[in-house]
Amino acid sequence: MGVVSLGMPAPRSAAPTTGPVALPSERPAVPGLVDSFGRVATDLRVSLTDRCNLRCTYCMPAEGLPALAREQVMSREEIARLVGIAVADLGVRQVRFTGGEPLLRKDLAEIVADVAALDPRPEISLTTNAVGLEHRARTLREAGLDRINVSLDTLDPDTFATMARRPFLERTLAGIDAAAGLFDLVKVNAVLVRGVNLDHAADLLSWCLERGFELRFIEQMPLDADHAWDRAAMVTAAEVRGLLGERFALEPDEEPRDGAPAERFVVRGAGGERLGRVGIIASVTEPFCADCRRTRLTAEGEVRDCLFAHTETDLLGPLRAGASDRTLADLWRLAMWGKRAGHGMNDAGFTQPERTMSAIGG
Ligand code: SAM
Ligand code: SF4
């Protein structure tokens, strides 16, 4: 397997920029992260680590990926500096920590607290596989974590072990239980894989509704290390709607979507009673790129303007070389100005990004 297929970082360009950055003349002189199609990114995803304690088949290879060296990964202080610039200078209003598995960072609560102390204070959320969350949820909540998304593809221990390649269902459920007692709304992310957990979708929804969780099914994207993604075999949003419709009545949610990736439905039972909500994220078959408000920072401090980008802009190198906040902010602005109109997944010439989901930060 070559370096590229292992999801290793793409080669970086030249020496770090510490001096002034020339922004394109056609770019409007606005502080925010505007792109050439007029979209403005206000939602930042920060990957805290490329490491993970699971090996989900749609994300990582069975043998794992070569881990970044400790010094390649942003420190707590570096994260606080870059997120601080995003919030104070670039108009970012929502910050989500992800990975890899963000709970593997021992300093996660301190990182959350640093961001919670920013002015203006952004909304802070976490995406996690919940393994070990049982012992961390309270500290994270107290540090300022506002929202939590947990990933759970099935309630069947054997299927969990097949999909995650680790027998950790119980630990995941214990983590979710702990979160449920502390957060107003727990969102659950699930990826459906044909022949593996597709038949579990309705049961998983039932389980989430009973507990007041909002389940979101995410269409599987071509971001797996094994390059096994198959457009023809993937489970589509339309199929999920049909499948859930056999057991529940789904009504399009009236609440404005407001740039959110999930199409939301109110779920009703046989007697018309409201049971809760479900979301479907149709990144492949019904892309929402025109409304995208995301910017991303990888664990090594590289800006990505899209999950499917083939280029990145290094901020950590310049930061370590002494760049000013102004320079770092301009580098970030320049990176986002070049964002493409769409991810191109449905184009004939589409090629999968060099990095896997775990190495980008999902
Ligand atoms: N480890 C954490 C977790 O699993 O929640 C955070 C990182 S993970 C990359 C973030 C989300 O991406 C998870 O909900 C996971 O199910 C989803 N994901 C991973 N690979 C995916 C793929 N190929 N297509 C769609 N979603 C994927
Ligand atoms: Fe780890 Fe999350 Fe990827 Fe699963 S989806 S391997 S838990 S990073």
Side-chain angles (χ1 to χ4, degrees):
M1 205 182 274
V3 168
V4 165
S5 61
L6 279 170
M8 293 283 281
R12 302 195 194 174
S13 55
T17 306
T18 53
V21 176
L23 294 172
S25 56
E26 66 273 28
R27 184 189 178 280
V30 292
L33 293 172
V34 63
D35 67 37
S36 64
F37 298 92
R39 296 167 296 191
V40 182
T42 52
D43 173 356
L44 168 62
R45 304 235 151 174
V46 184
S47 174
L48 296 180
T49 176
D50 58 323
R51 293 183 306 125
C52 190
N53 42 10
L54 302 186
R55 295 283 180 272
C56 303
T57 50
Y58 46 74
C59 181
M60 282 184 110
E63 66 280 13
L65 291 166
L68 292 168
R70 180 184 279 267
E71 63 276 11
Q72 288 176 279
V73 174
M74 291 185 291
S75 67
R76 168 186 169 189
E77 292 73 21
E78 289 163 343
I79 294 164
R81 170 119 185 255
L82 291 177
V83 176
I85 292 170
V87 168
D89 302 328
L90 300 173
V92 163
R93 294 291 168 260
Q94 291 162 317
V95 177
R96 175 173 295 275
F97 293 114
T98 179
E101 178 42 52
L103 289 177
L104 294 184
R105 289 263 325 215
K106 293 201 170 63
D107 54 0
L108 178 58
E110 287 78 14
I111 293 169
V112 169
D114 291 342
V115 173
L118 294 173
D119 185 17
R121 185 198 188 287
E123 181 187 270
I124 308 170
S125 50
L126 178 73
T127 302
T128 172
N129 63 29
V131 175
L133 182 62
E134 189 186 358
H135 311 292
R136 313 272 298 278
R138 182 167 297 280
T139 319
L140 290 170
R141 183 77 177 116
E142 286 169 2
L145 187 66
D146 300 306
R147 291 164 169 263
I148 194 153
N149 286 33
V150 293
S151 300
L152 177 70
D153 298 326
T154 176
L155 293 163
D156 175 67
D158 294 334
T159 311
F160 185 100
T162 302
M163 292 187 80
R165 300 192 183 103
R166 297 287 184 276
F168 291 167
L169 175 63
E170 259 184 48
R171 293 167 67 181
T172 297
L173 294 180
I176 296 177
D177 254 359
L182 292 162
F183 293 87
D184 295 340
L185 177 63
V186 172
K187 289 190 180 171
V188 175
N189 290 350
V191 176
L192 294 174
V193 181
R194 193 175 305 287
V196 184
N197 68 336
L198 183 56
D199 297 346
H200 306 198
D203 286 344
L204 190 58
L205 177 55
S206 241
W207 185 86
C208 286
L209 292 169
E210 279 162 21
R211 286 160 183 77
F213 302 159
E214 188 171 315
L215 176 61
R216 294 131 42 96
F217 292 103
I218 310 175
E219 278 184 345
Q220 188 185 344
M221 294 178 277
L223 290 168
D224 57 317
D226 297 334
H227 288 231
W229 183 83
D230 176 1
R231 180 75 159 81
M234 62 162 279
V235 178
T236 65
E239 194 174 351
V240 178
R241 287 192 292 263
L243 192 69
L244 299 179
E246 291 171 10
R247 192 142 132 204
F248 306 95
L250 302 186
E251 259 170 32
D253 194 352
E254 300 284 299
E255 253 183 48
R257 195 157 158 179
D258 203 22
E263 183 183 14
R264 292 163 96 205
F265 297 89
V266 170
V267 185
R268 296 197 185 274
E273 71 283 14
R274 185 191 165 107
L275 301 176
R277 279 200 180 107
V278 66
I280 303 180
I281 304 183
S283 322
V284 181
T285 60
E286 297 156 30
F288 35 86
C289 303
D291 289 323
C292 181
R293 295 179 192 173
R294 287 215 180 127
T295 182
R296 297 171 179 275
L297 210 46
T298 68
E300 314 111 286
E302 303 262 347
V303 174
R304 286 181 75 91
D305 59 22
C306 174
L307 268 178
F308 292 91
H310 287 282
T311 56
E312 299 178 342
T313 299
D314 182 23
L315 295 187
L316 189 55
L319 182 158
R320 289 182 179 173
S324 64
D325 284 6
R326 167 87 194 265
T327 295
L328 293 169
D330 276 345
L331 281 169
W332 206 326
R333 290 185 183 107
L334 185 61
M336 293 305 294
W337 176 250
K339 182 172 168 122
R340 291 178 305 168
H343 53 47
M345 250 186 284
N346 298 312
D347 301 347
F350 173 76
T351 49
Q352 182 166 338
E354 296 72 21
R355 287 176 186 264
T356 63
M357 188 65 131
S358 64
I360 297 169

